């Protein structure tokens, strides 16, 4: 694979793209705020004593709606892209995505349980109700990934191939369980479930945001420290072992980071496809397979692309909004095809 | 004479300005999330107050031209704020909760009304809507008319049931005839069948897909079909074509296939309900003189 861009210009470009995405995400929305108001409201949120007409409204829309939404988009996009890199590195396969170890299907199962269970078991206790969907999705993702990892382990060794197959089998099994919940669901819960499966950054609020931001920060700090090990893994498992890396430990960490990161992202925003698959791909095409560059660059690119996709999701049908999973798949899938076709030529 | 005239003028002025103030305090820009609520707002004369509705508000036709705020459980805070509403009206199903909190913080008045299929809940809803429209007497009249129509309906059904056996009814909801889902217990459809004087032959809970054989085994006297994509005769033809097993039922044999607008099946008691019930009953009991329609 040839390197098209050198790392430094790439980081500058991605940094600018991300800054642009953040700015657009804060400045645009269905409510058209004058640019001046947005800037002044932003400064006021940062603690500057400004006042003016309509500033309270701008401050509210910026502070309570757009800022948490932008943070959510940054975290979800970044952590999904990072997990994608980790999975593609672990499986040494560019088609790998975070769903491969069962975290997505587990989370979907958890969500189906939470959404349909509410009507089956007569509702959740009031103090738990607002969080049960997120907790259940997170728990489901972690649980199924743990099972996949356990199945792949034998005699102190983790077989990546077995894990891959176990992931497929457990995904099918989770699919069956989700099907059962779908069958039991009534019309309204069914619709909620469908929408959850398409993801949305809608309704982001600070209390739901903090856990995800913490997890993302942890993953974003942790994974790049394993970049050289991932590079060694590219050569093959035994080669990496001979180079002196504790491969079992690396595998465990990669799976755990992915489960944690994707689980938290999915719990906060529902299922959002294609970011974890396409972004690492795209970045690898640009700078080559060196994980020391690939990991941070994917983090930036994933965050920027998800923010831009969200911008479309909330503007295209305003005042209604499109589930973001539709936008990411709509852009991601043709792009992926384009890469495939071009790569062959 | 003169001072009293002045006093009267003053009083009239005060009274007038009081009305003005009251009118000003009423919410002027409404967003409604909930099919039957929107329908009631229109029925009570509030169509020009509506500036946005959700995707379940399909009836009457004029509502489809308003900006759509999406599905009632997936509302978008900023999208709704862009419509500058004073009031967001919806049922318990409206959500998600964080979005409602954001809207409330932005000063939008949020009113949740009950979507239960229950007359007392409906009365409370209508009186509230009437008050916010500034026409409580109109709402009171609408409630009285509605109660009266349903009472007449109930009396008529009681008489009909005393004279003849109530028909076995199956209601199926389908999409261009295929994949019919039968309405079981705890559905608005079940409630409709019961109120119209029929007996629901499906005993499961909620809407479930039935196999052709199961359909035949139930052998309903009447089949009501609510089709989401076709209407009237086209829907009837599609239903028969896609489900040949139906041909073996008494309902098809006797030609008793009734069409129903599927929007009647969502969102509680709507304003069109009494009329639909009356026409269903008339079809259930063809021998009885139909209920005289109230003059609008």
């Amino acid at each position: 694979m040839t390197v098209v861009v050198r790392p430094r210009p790439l980081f500058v470009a991605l940094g600018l793209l991300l800054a642009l995405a953040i700015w657009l995400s804060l400045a645009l929305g269905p409510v058209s705020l004058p640019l001046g108001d947005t800037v002044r409201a932003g400064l006021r949120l940062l603690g500057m004593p400004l006042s003016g007409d309509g500033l309270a409204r701008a401050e509210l829309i910026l502070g309570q709606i757009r800022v948490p939404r932008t943070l959510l988009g940054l975290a979800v996009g970044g952590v999904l892209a990072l997990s994608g890199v980790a999975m593609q590195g672990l499986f040494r396969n560019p088609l790998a995505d975070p769903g491969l170890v069962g975290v997505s299907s587990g989370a979907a199962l958890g969500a189906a349980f939470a959404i349909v269970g509410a009507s089956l078991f007569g509702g959740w206790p009031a103090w738990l109700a607002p969080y049960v969907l997120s907790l259940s999705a997170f728990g489901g993702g972690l649980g199924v990934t743990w099972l996949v990892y356990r199945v792949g382990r034998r005699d102190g060794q983790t077989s990546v191939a077995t894990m891959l197959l176990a992931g497929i089998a457990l995904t099918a099994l989770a699919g069956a369980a989700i099907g059962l919940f779908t069958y039991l669901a009534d019309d309204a819960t069914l619709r909620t479930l469908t929408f959850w499966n398409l993801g949305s950054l809608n309704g982001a609020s600070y209390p739901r945001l903090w856990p995800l931001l913490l997890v993302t920060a942890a993953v974003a700090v942790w994974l790049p420290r394993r970049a050289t090990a991932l590079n060694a893994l590219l050569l093959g498992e035994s080669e990496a072992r001979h180079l002196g890396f504790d491969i079992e430990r690396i595998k465990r960490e990669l799976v755990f980071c992915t489960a944690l990161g994707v689980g938290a992202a999915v719990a906060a925003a529902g299922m959002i496809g294609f970011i974890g698959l396409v972004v690492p791909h795209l970045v690898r095409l640009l700078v080559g397979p060196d994980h020391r560059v690939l990991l941070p660059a994917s983090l930036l690119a994933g965050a920027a692309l998800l923010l831009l996709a969200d911008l479309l999701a909330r503007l295209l049908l305003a005042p209604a909004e499109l589930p973001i999973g539709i936008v990411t798949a709509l852009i991601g899938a043709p792009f992926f095809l384009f890469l495939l076709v071009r790569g062959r030529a | 004479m003169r001072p009293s005239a002045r006093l009267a003028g003053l009083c009239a002025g005060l009274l007038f300005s009081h009305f003005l103030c009251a009118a000003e305090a009423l919410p002027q820009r409404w967003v409604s999330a909930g099919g039957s609520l929107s329908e009631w707002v229109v029925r009570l004369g509030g169509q020009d107050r509506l500036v946005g509705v959700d995707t379940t508000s399909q009836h009457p036709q004029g509502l489809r031209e308003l900006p759509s705020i999406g599905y009632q459980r997936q509302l978008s805070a900023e999208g709704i704020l862009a419509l500058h509403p004073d009031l967001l009206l919806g049922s318990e199903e409206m959500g998600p909760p964080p979005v409602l909190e954001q809207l409330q913080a932005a000063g939008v008045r949020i009113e949740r009304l009950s979507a239960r299929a229950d007359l007392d809940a409906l009365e409370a809803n209508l009186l509230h809507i009437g008050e916010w429209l500034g026409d409580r007497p109109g709402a009171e009249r609408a409630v009285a008319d509605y109660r009266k129509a349903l009472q007449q309906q109930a009396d008529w059904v009681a008489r009909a049931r005393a004279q003849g056996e109530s028909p076995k009814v199956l209601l199926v909801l389908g999409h261009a005839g295929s994949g019919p889902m039968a309405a079981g217990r705890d559905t608005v459809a079940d409630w409709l069948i019961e109120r119209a004087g029929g007996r629901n032959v499906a005993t499961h809970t909620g809407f479930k897909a039935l196999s052709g054989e199961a359909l035949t085994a139930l052998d309903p006297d009447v089949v009501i079909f609510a089709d989401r994509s076709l209407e009237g005769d086209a829907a009837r033809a599609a239903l028969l074509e896609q489900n040949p097993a139906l041909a073996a039922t008494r309902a098809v044999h006797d030609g008793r296939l009734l069409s129903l607008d599927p929007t009647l099946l969502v969102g509680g008691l709507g304003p069109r309900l009494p009329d639909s019930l009356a026409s269903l009953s008339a079809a259930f009991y063809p021998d009885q003189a139909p209920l005289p329609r109230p003059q609008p």
Side-chain angles (χ1 to χ4, degrees), chain A:
Chain A
M1 210 176 276
T2 53
V3 175
V4 182
V5 190
R6 308 237 36 97
R8 191 181 293 272
L10 179 80
F11 280 121
V12 171
L14 283 179
L16 287 176
L17 180 70
L18 184 60
L20 176 75
I22 293 176
W23 167 246
L24 289 176
S25 177
L26 291 176
L28 295 180
V31 177
S32 51
L33 292 175
L35 201 57
D37 279 7
T38 312
V39 174
R40 278 186 297 157
L43 291 176
R44 214 172 108 122
L45 282 173
L46 291 175
M48 274 189 209
L50 291 169
S51 61
D53 289 344
L55 210 55
R57 182 179 159 82
E59 190 179 342
L60 189 110
I61 286 175
L62 200 65
Q64 293 302 315
I65 299 177
R66 289 186 191 167
V67 170
R69 190 168 181 146
T70 305
L71 287 174
L72 181 64
L74 283 174
V76 170
V79 85
L80 285 179
L82 274 181
S83 309
V85 178
M87 284 299 100
Q88 294 179 2
L90 174 65
F91 287 102
R92 293 194 297 285
N93 186 332
L95 283 178
D97 86 338
L100 218 52
V101 285
V103 55
S104 309
S105 52
L109 178 58
F113 171 76
I115 293 170
V116 180
S119 60
L120 284 185
F121 314 132
W124 306 107
W127 57 271
L128 190 62
Y131 305 104
V132 74
L133 178 56
S134 295
L135 288 176
S136 173
F138 185 66
L142 233 51
V144 172
T145 312
W146 182 78
L147 271 179
V148 168
Y149 179 73
R150 286 300 308 170
V151 172
R153 230 178 130 70
R154 176 169 298 169
D155 304 332
Q157 299 269 339
T158 315
S159 157
V160 172
T162 313
M163 255 174 73
L164 185 79
L165 293 174
I168 291 173
L170 283 170
T171 297
L173 204 58
I178 294 168
L180 186 65
F181 280 118
T182 311
Y183 179 75
L184 293 171
D186 60 29
D187 267 19
T189 45
L190 203 55
R191 251 187 117 158
T192 309
L193 193 58
T194 312
F195 274 104
W196 186 86
N197 273 317
L198 294 170
S200 173
L201 301 186
N202 189 19
S205 61
Y206 294 108
R208 285 154 196 268
L209 202 55
W210 293 128
L212 174 68
L213 287 180
L214 283 178
V215 168
T216 306
V219 172
V221 168
W222 197 263
L223 276 182
R225 289 162 54 121
R226 297 290 174 263
T228 46
L230 276 165
N231 282 347
L233 258 182
L234 282 179
L235 301 171
E237 259 182 51
S238 51
E239 285 82 351
R241 197 172 295 118
H242 290 308
L243 283 171
F245 289 102
D246 183 353
I247 291 301
E248 288 310 315
R249 193 175 150 194
I250 297 294
K251 285 185 199 161
R252 205 164 46 233
E253 284 178 5
L254 290 181
V255 171
F256 182 69
C257 272
T258 301
L260 203 64
V262 176
V266 165
M271 295 283 235
I272 301 177
F274 270 98
I275 294 286
L277 177 63
V278 170
V279 169
H281 236 306
L282 172 68
V283 177
R284 201 177 293 113
L285 277 181
L286 290 174
V287 293
D290 182 354
H291 284 88
R292 284 170 304 175
V293 181
L294 188 54
L295 281 165
S298 294
L299 174 73
L300 295 177
L305 287 186
L306 196 72
L307 282 185
L308 293 175
D310 182 51
L311 203 60
L312 288 182
R314 60 178 134 141
L315 288 179
L316 280 182
L317 290 184
E321 65 173 62
L322 208 58
I324 190 170
I326 298 178
V327 182
T328 54
L330 213 58
I331 300 172
F335 182 73
F336 195 64
L337 280 176
F338 167 73
L339 289 184
L340 286 181
V341 173
R342 211 192 55 155
R344 215 170 359 162

Side-chain angles (χ1 to χ4, degrees), chain B residues 32-36 38-39 53-60 63-64:
Chain B
S32 168
S36 76
S38 310
E39 210 175 323
V53 291
D54 75 325
T55 48
T56 62
S57 303
Q58 295 285 326
H59 211 276
L63 292 183
R64 299 190 196 185

